[in-house]
Amino acid sequence: MDSKNNRRISALLAAFPTHENFLAFAQNSENAKALKSLILFAENNDIIPTGEAQALERFIQENALQREDLKPPTPMNFSDFFDQKETLLELNLSVRALTERMKALLDQYELDLPRVSNSMLSRLKKEKADTLHKQNVLRSLAFWLGHERGRLGAHWNYETLAELCRGGMTQAEHKEGVRIGFALYSRGDVIDHEIVGWLKNELKGYIQQSIGRFAYGRWGKVRSHDITTLYVDFPKEEAASNPSAYRQCLRSALSLAHQMAIRWALSRHYTQNRFLSIGISAGAFDGLDNYLLPILSAKLPGDPAIRLTDFARQCALINDIRALLFPAPTEVTLFNNETLTIWWVMGVWSTLYFDFVPDLLVDKALGADSESAALFTATLYPSILQTGDRDAKDQPNALTTFLRYPHNSLLGLEIAKTLYYRRRFWDANEILRIILSLDPTHLNARTLRMILFRNLAVEAPSHSIAEGMFEQAYLEAGFIKQNCQYLTEDFYCEQAVIFLAQAMLTLRRLRAGRGAIEGEYNTEHFKRKIYAALDKAESVFWKGVTISPTGIRAVYLLNSVKVIRNVLKHDDSLFTTPEKPLDCAPQAVRKSIHEVQWQLGYLREDLPQIPENEMIGAIFDMNTRMHDDSISLQAYRPTTYFCTAAVWWDLYPTRTIGCAKRAVRLLEGAAELAREMEAKGVCIYAFTRTYGEMISAQEFISHIDRMLKMIRKAAGSDFAQRPDSEVIEPDDDQPMNLLMTLNF
């Protein structure tokens, strides 16, 4: 390999010194364009054999730098680094000349990384790299150093530069945030250093690999409180001292708690005589220990693993963190006679919001192939199927662990979720049957079973079978409403999607039969059923809006129902003409969307100084950030990006070039995330055909590709170069080019 290519490789590895570092970058959809340019750079220079993200990931994983290269060679901060650049980097250039050289290198390779400016370097001397842009500026600097100063050694890379910034002047300002504690308690079995070491390693591994928003160091650092208790601090990123400022750090803490509760249950150290207690407290760090230790040691009904202080609970509710808390807390008295209220987690909306447990993704019984299905059946029903000379029940896997401890509903639900995202609907239902046999009112399990019946209805081979499956889904919803604490937005949304899916599936079959379904020519009857189902869906979505502190998810789905109904009412021939797309002229949908936005306070007549479009745009942005911050499950995020793109393209009051650019960026990010999920062997929970369904990543990507082509055609091939404010609203007699219904 020639010296030029060695320099390119050195530059790439300086920008991405570890596999974990690359994953944190690649999994952020805002880096989609930069990632594409880096893949193209690596392919064009024969660094990787094919132009795929997986090829670049493999290259970085195989050539990752050693741990000793990830720390600065001498203690210093970012300001010291630049003050000593002549000695450290053998560089006798002004900062302005240096930034020009960096820009020229990035331009040479056409890399979509930020150009380093003098002003940004000045900021990084005073501030930590706490935003995506700052972090990518460091990545640009690292790329240049690897390319031009690789001879000085591998230790001038992104991680060392980030470490220099963490040594800056603002680190000590993080005095508030979320502290999460993990305490191991013996109930008969010994807890030794090996077990505590396992816990510490698992905590560090998850933080490094999965919480890409937080720079490793003080952010998420694991420390020992005593022999069997570990703490992790997540400082809040915003200066405001109110519960809404704790959104990201609390989401990360709850994601970590969920992961560790499952990982502990799957570990070889887990027995009924060892208990892992997880406590979460929020506020000023200097006073949190007074509350964290009592909630870790409290004896609570049912031995719940995850417990929260009262303020942490407030933060979770206000920030729409999707956990189910027991409605009646316990109170304990502290040493100073202060009363401490303890809430605990009954379950989490893991199906949509919390990430997969890595061990389950590689579990032999939970794969997507026929061998995994056979092993699952042999484990659950050993008398039906044998595997070789030994019963499958003797082979250790997640399922055998759950069967030993069926009271662990968190583990059971996570197994069912993994099966669901691999389209093994009936097997997921079998796991839920076990959970519900012990607790028939378990809301998460009941809701997932309702969702499974809905998916089975969509997949049914005939209309009559589909109707039967929808009826089973309705029965599950009825049981929940009669017997469970069900007042959550996600239950209402999933219940309403049953009506929406039934309406759209009936419409699809009616269109395919040109007015008939399975030989029954009763078009008016089926039309009435479709409209009735859409009306019911709208009513239930409004309940989701009512019960939720934000209503973000329910509002989008509510608007989609209104759009679909108006499109159908505008053109009666859509019921019987499959060739015609579900689309219509703007006036058919704009009025109802405007009415909903007025009802929700998006249009404020009492704020005349704020232009209508600016107000709605700001609300869209705020809701997008809040909902995205509640999600750590990457297989759900692609569809939220699609939905956000549809909000900007379909629901914004006036369509502009800026809307087109936003929608394209979001859709490209959705496709990239879907490709990553395909590599993990999981499907996408998608609304690209108007209703929620589990589809393969490839099918989802094909839907996104159609949308991208449509937007580029509607906006014009040169839209990327035109001003954001340019209006591209379709004429009154032209179709809307709706994203919501394009793939129906």
Side-chain angles (χ1 to χ4, degrees):
M1 186 176 293
D2 61 36
S3 60
K4 287 186 178 180
N5 228 33
N6 284 333
R7 294 171 70 185
R8 296 173 187 129
I9 290 173
S10 175
L12 193 59
L13 293 177
F16 302 101
T18 68
H19 181 225
E20 293 79 10
N21 183 283
F22 174 79
L23 287 178
F25 175 86
Q27 289 173 359
N28 191 320
S29 67
E30 294 182 37
N31 291 325
K33 286 187 176 180
L35 179 60
K36 282 185 178 180
S37 69
L38 286 160
I39 294 170
L40 188 62
F41 160 81
E43 183 186 24
N44 289 344
N45 291 286
D46 298 320
I47 298 173
I48 58 176
T50 60
E52 297 175 344
Q54 293 88 341
L56 182 56
E57 180 184 349
R58 283 194 298 271
F59 174 82
I60 291 170
Q61 189 172 20
E62 291 167 1
N63 296 277
L65 299 183
Q66 300 300 311
R67 184 164 296 278
E68 56 267 22
D69 291 325
L70 302 180
K71 294 286 183 182
T74 56
M76 65 180 76
N77 59 29
F78 198 79
S79 182
D80 297 332
F81 170 74
F82 265 86
D83 290 343
Q84 301 173 41
K85 67 180 185 300
E86 289 84 1
T87 302
L88 295 173
L89 304 178
E90 301 175 2
L91 194 65
N92 191 20
L93 290 173
S94 68
V95 173
R96 187 172 301 278
L98 176 60
T99 57
E100 286 299 319
R101 290 197 178 189
M102 294 179 193
K103 177 181 182 298
L105 183 67
L106 296 178
D107 289 343
Q108 175 188 340
Y109 291 125
E110 299 181 341
L111 294 179
D112 198 359
L113 288 170
R115 277 37 180 173
V116 183
S117 66
N118 193 3
S119 60
M120 179 53 74
L121 291 177
S122 298
R123 287 183 61 187
L124 287 169
K125 291 178 182 180
K126 303 174 184 178
E127 305 170 4
K128 62 185 182 298
D130 57 355
T131 68
L132 184 65
H133 182 72
K134 291 179 186 177
Q135 291 161 8
N136 284 338
V137 165
L138 291 182
R139 218 175 290 280
S140 298
L141 174 56
F143 186 92
W144 187 88
L145 289 171
H147 194 278
E148 299 297 318
R149 290 296 183 269
R151 65 182 184 275
L152 301 178
H155 51 252
W156 294 122
N157 57 67
Y158 171 83
E159 288 288 350
T160 57
L161 296 175
E163 186 68 25
L164 295 178
C165 287
R166 284 194 283 272
M169 291 176 277
T170 61
Q171 289 294 303
E173 295 179 4
H174 294 297
K175 298 178 181 180
E176 297 178 57
V178 172
R179 176 168 294 162
I180 179 170
F182 300 86
L184 288 162
Y185 293 100
S186 171
R187 294 177 176 177
D189 288 350
V190 173
I191 297 174
D192 55 22
H193 289 293
E194 180 185 1
I195 298 174
V196 177
W198 172 90
L199 179 61
K200 181 178 288 188
N201 288 335
E202 288 291 314
L203 287 169
K204 288 182 176 179
Y206 179 69
I207 291 169
Q208 285 178 304
Q209 295 170 16
S210 302
I211 306 182
R213 294 173 185 263
F214 293 90
Y216 192 70
R218 289 192 73 250
W219 296 73
K221 187 174 182 180
V222 181
R223 59 187 177 86
S224 299
H225 176 75
D226 56 37
I227 295 175
T228 60
T229 304
L230 302 173
Y231 282 173
V232 180
D233 285 351
F234 290 105
K236 67 183 179 68
E237 294 184 332
E238 298 182 30
S241 293
N242 60 65
S244 63
Y246 290 81
R247 181 173 24 270
Q248 292 185 2
C249 55
L250 183 59
R251 191 286 305 268
S252 294
L254 266 169
S255 295
L256 182 60
H258 169 256
Q259 283 281 323
M260 295 312 302
I262 306 299
R263 293 182 187 209
W264 169 247
L266 292 171
S267 78
R268 60 188 178 87
H269 305 296
Y270 174 67
T271 71
Q272 289 182 315
N273 296 321
R274 295 189 186 106
F275 181 68
L276 175 64
S277 178
I278 304 173
I280 300 176
S281 57
F285 284 130
D286 58 7
L288 292 185
D289 286 5
N290 296 333
Y291 306 106
L292 191 56
L293 290 173
I295 70 172
L296 285 169
S297 60
K299 297 186 183 300
L300 301 177
D303 264 355
I306 305 173
R307 302 103 180 272
L308 285 76
T309 61
D310 196 47
F311 183 64
R313 172 204 175 240
Q314 290 179 35
C315 295
L317 295 176
I318 286 175
N319 289 301
D320 215 14
I321 307 294
R322 307 301 175 111
L324 291 172
L325 303 177
F326 193 75
T330 288
E331 293 184 348
V332 297
T333 303
L334 304 181
F335 66 93
N336 60 357
N337 291 324
E338 180 182 355
T339 299
L340 174 64
T341 303
I342 303 175
W343 302 82
W344 60 92
V345 174
M346 298 188 299
V348 296
W349 289 105
S350 176
T351 308
L352 296 176
Y353 298 99
F354 290 82
D355 207 0
F356 293 108
V357 175
D359 285 350
L360 297 183
L361 290 179
V362 298
D363 191 281
K364 292 181 180 179
L366 307 182
D369 55 276
S370 58
E371 290 184 8
S372 295
L375 178 57
F376 180 94
T377 304
T379 306
L380 200 59
Y381 304 110
S383 61
I384 295 177
L385 186 64
Q386 302 293 327
T387 56
D389 299 328
R390 186 176 61 172
D391 285 351
K393 65 181 180 181
D394 296 329
Q395 301 182 31
N397 55 52
L399 183 55
T400 58
T401 300
F402 175 61
L403 294 176
R404 284 200 304 273
Y405 307 108
H407 62 281
N408 192 332
S409 60
L410 275 177
L411 173 59
L413 268 170
E414 202 61 32
I415 291 172
K417 179 184 84 176
T418 305
L419 292 166
Y420 172 46
Y421 274 85
R422 283 177 166 153
R423 292 176 53 83
R424 292 176 57 182
F425 302 140
W426 288 114
D427 288 340
N429 203 25
E430 285 301 302
I431 299 298
L432 298 178
R433 178 183 57 80
I434 296 171
I435 297 172
L436 294 172
S437 68
L438 298 178
D439 181 6
T441 63
H442 196 296
L443 177 60
N444 296 118
R446 280 280 172 199
T447 303
L448 181 51
R449 187 149 85 164
M450 179 183 75
I451 294 169
L452 290 171
F453 286 141
R454 188 184 75 215
N455 277 267
L456 287 164
V458 172
E459 299 289 323
S462 70
H463 184 69
S464 57
I465 294 176
E467 290 292 289
M469 300 308 298
F470 280 126
E471 184 59 32
Q472 286 186 263
Y474 291 135
L475 290 172
E476 290 292 331
F479 182 94
I480 290 169
K481 294 171 74 172
Q482 290 178 11
N483 300 284
C484 304
Q485 294 282 344
Y486 68 92
L487 296 178
T488 67
E489 180 186 5
D490 286 296
F491 164 70
Y492 280 125
C493 284
E494 297 299 341
Q495 181 200 7
V497 173
I498 305 173
F499 294 110
L500 178 56
Q502 188 174 28
M504 300 310 288
L505 187 63
T506 304
L507 177 61
R508 175 176 285 117
R509 293 182 184 275
L510 189 64
R511 279 161 60 88
R514 297 186 178 276
I517 296 180
E518 295 177 355
E520 182 181 350
Y521 282 90
N522 195 344
T523 305
E524 290 302 316
H525 166 73
F526 291 123
K527 285 169 58 178
R528 286 193 297 271
K529 288 190 66 174
I530 291 167
Y531 281 126
L534 291 174
D535 290 343
K536 289 178 182 177
E538 179 182 345
S539 175
V540 179
F541 283 134
W542 271 119
K543 292 179 181 178
V545 175
T546 302
I547 198 62
S548 171
T550 63
I552 295 168
R553 187 175 177 222
V555 166
Y556 170 79
L557 294 169
L558 173 66
N559 273 302
S560 68
V561 170
K562 286 184 170 290
V563 168
I564 292 165
R565 185 198 292 114
N566 286 353
V567 168
L568 293 174
K569 286 186 175 180
H570 182 71
D571 186 353
D572 201 58
S573 68
L574 290 172
F575 289 98
T576 56
T577 313
E579 297 84 7
K580 297 186 71 171
L582 288 187
D583 210 336
C584 63
Q587 69 270 17
V589 296
R590 288 294 190 209
K591 183 175 182 293
S592 63
I593 293 171
H594 183 278
E595 290 172 351
V596 171
Q597 290 172 346
W598 196 97
Q599 285 181 260
L600 295 170
Y602 293 5
L603 304 177
R604 295 282 300 276
E605 296 176 355
D606 58 334
L607 297 174
Q609 69 275 21
I610 302 177
E612 179 180 282
N613 286 6
E614 287 186 18
M615 181 74 174
I616 291 183
I619 291 172
F620 284 178
D621 282 334
M622 178 185 68
N623 288 347
T624 297
R625 287 195 301 272
M626 179 174 288
H627 194 57
D628 195 54
D629 284 340
S630 69
I631 302 168
S632 62
L633 180 63
Q634 295 295 78
Y636 177 51
R637 189 167 268 126
T639 213
T640 65
Y641 286 2
F642 153 70
C643 293
T644 307
V647 164
W648 283 102
W649 184 256
D650 294 348
L651 304 182
Y652 199 65
T654 303
R655 189 175 291 170
T656 65
I657 287 292
C659 293
K661 291 177 181 177
R662 282 176 176 264
V664 166
R665 284 197 299 269
L666 287 159
L667 293 173
E668 289 177 340
E672 287 298 319
L673 281 172
R675 291 186 184 96
E676 294 171 13
M677 294 302 99
E678 183 179 29
K680 293 184 177 182
V682 295
C683 298
I684 307 298
Y685 180 74
F687 277 89
T688 49
R689 284 195 289 227
T690 73
Y691 52 84
E693 58 181 335
M694 192 62 62
I695 62 177
S696 71
Q698 273 303 313
E699 186 173 7
F700 180 85
I701 292 167
S702 71
H703 290 177
I704 297 298
D705 286 344
R706 288 191 68 203
M707 295 173 187
L708 288 169
K709 290 176 183 175
M710 183 188 74
I711 291 176
R712 287 169 177 145
K713 181 179 179 181
S717 58
D718 62 340
F719 78 96
Q721 285 75 49
R722 284 150 55 197
D724 290 356
S725 59
E726 181 183 340
V727 175
I728 52 172
E729 186 77 2
D731 296 335
D732 289 343
D733 59 345
Q734 296 296 313
M736 278 281 288
N737 291 311
L738 293 166
L739 290 181
M740 286 182 181
T741 57
L742 176 64
N743 289 285
F744 178 75

